Amino acid sequence: DGEPGGTAGVLPPAGPIRVRCLRADILGLKVFGLRAALSTEGGALVLRDGAILTGDPGAPPSRLDGAFRFDPGAYAFESDGAGRLDPNRLGELLRRVGEPGIADEIAKFEFPGEPPAVRARWRYAPERNVRELRLDLESGPARYNGVPVSGFSGTVLVDGDGGWRRVAVEDLHVVRPEGAVDGRLELATREGLLRFRAESTMDPLRVVALVGVLDAADELPVALDNPSRATASGVLDLDAGTTAGGATDIRVEASCPGLVAAGLRFENLTGTMSITNGVLSAPDIDGKCFGGDVAGSLRLELGGARTFSAAAAPASVAAFTAPTSPRTITVTRPPPTCSLPTSWTFA
């Protein structure tokens, strides 16, 4: 303070100074390698032509190249960079700026190999109510919610008024060996609601586990052929802790080439499905079974009874009761559907 050309409490313009650092902590972001051209401007610390390395020892490192500006007086920063970054490296930083929920969501990602490629733009100035984060991501093999995927890409947008209130993922593209999911989602952190819309050719059991719509999706009493096709949209209540309650309201239109349930094989299935008030229901399922038409409905009380009701064509009914294998039955002209409702309840 008091130096010629300076102002009390404000650093005078200075630099640039070439900096190399082996260890640093930037708002909780652990850095084990940093180089930059360091200067001060208007009391802010400015790093240009920077490179930051972060990660765990022995793991593929995350590296960002770009610029960073930090104003200690206003506790504000902005950065622009590109490189490879494991989003989990931002967890502690997010907790320090008051967003543990977003950090917990990011923690569902696992990257066993190289971190995803990223372009990042971050603006944080709480005194001016500025909170903006944009991440353009592209990844190879990864896991989310324990589900392995071959790769994904998308744009993550985080912003809010008075807090980091909204997390959106635009142009989401997720790939697995059997298919892909394309769509968008938006997390309202204050309400604890996840809104989404997506089109999928991925195994539906993997999709519900990926999104977290159902607990223990592998325990559903069905096996499906792929590619199954679905268009889904709705709201998932994250604060309810389970799909058995809260504001969850999900609608799905789907088709499936084959499904096995209760030991019976159904083919060319189409139908709609909803999850609301703790109940998964599919009121209008149509398909084929053992050469005949089948129309029915499915109702799963999440955590309770599972019931399937159907009206089947006579050829299907004969197949159910034939002493020989149903696969030997050939139907050249499907007979008219008759009303023979049958229901099964699974414990």
Side-chain angles (χ1 to χ4, degrees):
D1 293 349
E3 291 293 327
T7 302
V10 178
L11 291 173
I17 302 172
R18 293 291 174 179
V19 176
R20 298 182 69 90
C21 180
L22 295 178
R23 297 283 187 276
D25 185 316
I26 305 174
L27 295 178
L29 177 63
K30 303 296 183 182
V31 173
F32 64 81
L34 182 152
R35 64 169 174 79
L38 174 65
S39 62
T40 61
E41 297 176 3
L45 192 65
V46 180
L47 284 77
R48 292 190 176 91
D49 301 322
I52 293 176
L53 295 175
T54 180
D56 295 324
S62 294
R63 173 178 174 140
L64 283 180
D65 295 275
F68 183 85
R69 178 187 178 96
F70 177 58
D71 183 346
Y75 202 66
F77 64 85
E78 57 185 68
S79 67
D80 292 272
R84 291 193 173 274
L85 175 69
D86 184 339
N88 285 290
R89 302 297 156 222
L90 303 176
E92 182 58 29
L93 189 153
L94 286 165
R95 290 184 172 88
R96 289 198 184 187
V97 298
E99 293 302 330
I102 297 177
D104 291 341
E105 287 300 312
I106 290 177
K108 295 178 181 179
F109 283 99
E110 301 174 58
F111 300 98
E114 195 172 41
V118 60
R119 294 191 63 87
R121 183 177 188 272
W122 202 333
R123 302 289 183 269
Y124 178 70
E127 290 184 354
R128 294 185 284 117
N129 202 26
V130 174
R131 293 171 175 84
E132 299 172 355
L133 170 63
R134 178 187 175 110
L135 297 173
D136 295 303
L137 296 169
E138 185 171 353
S139 173
R143 299 175 70 89
Y144 182 76
N145 267 343
V147 179
V149 299
S150 304
F152 72 87
S153 61
T155 298
V156 181
L157 304 171
V158 188
D159 54 33
D161 183 5
W164 299 91
R165 303 303 184 191
R166 185 183 77 105
V167 181
V169 181
E170 305 282 357
D171 302 322
L172 177 64
H173 181 63
V174 183
V175 180
R176 275 179 49 87
E178 76 276 8
V181 173
D182 292 276
R184 73 175 305 277
L185 58 87
E186 181 175 318
L187 171 64
T189 59
R190 180 176 294 173
E191 296 86 0
L193 300 178
L194 177 67
R195 297 179 176 87
F196 66 93
R197 178 171 180 80
E199 295 183 357
S200 172
T201 55
M202 194 181 292
D203 184 334
L205 297 183
R206 302 285 77 76
V207 174
V208 296
L210 191 72
V211 180
V213 173
L214 292 177
D215 298 325
D218 288 329
E219 296 180 8
L220 289 176
V222 295
L224 300 101
D225 293 345
N226 290 300
S228 296
R229 301 182 182 276
T231 299
S233 62
V235 178
L236 178 63
D237 190 341
L238 301 175
D239 286 346
T242 173
T243 48
T248 294
D249 188 357
I250 298 171
R251 310 289 167 174
V252 181
E253 296 180 3
S255 63
C256 177
L259 177 149
V260 176
L264 302 176
R265 178 171 177 81
F266 302 88
E267 297 178 337
N268 300 326
L269 291 168
T270 62
T272 60
M273 184 186 76
S274 67
I275 301 177
T276 186
N277 296 323
V279 175
L280 184 155
S281 62
D284 53 357
I285 302 173
D286 295 299
K288 301 284 187 179
C289 185
F290 300 138
D293 296 329
V294 173
S297 62
L298 175 69
R299 177 185 172 88
L300 302 180
E301 294 183 10
L302 303 177
R306 300 163 177 173
T307 302
F308 175 78
S309 299
S316 296
V317 176
F320 295 157
T321 58
T324 58
S325 169
R327 299 181 185 277
T328 64
I329 295 177
T330 301
V331 178
T332 57
R333 179 187 295 177
T337 300
C338 63
S339 180
L340 288 173
T342 305
S343 66
W344 297 272
T345 299
F346 308 103

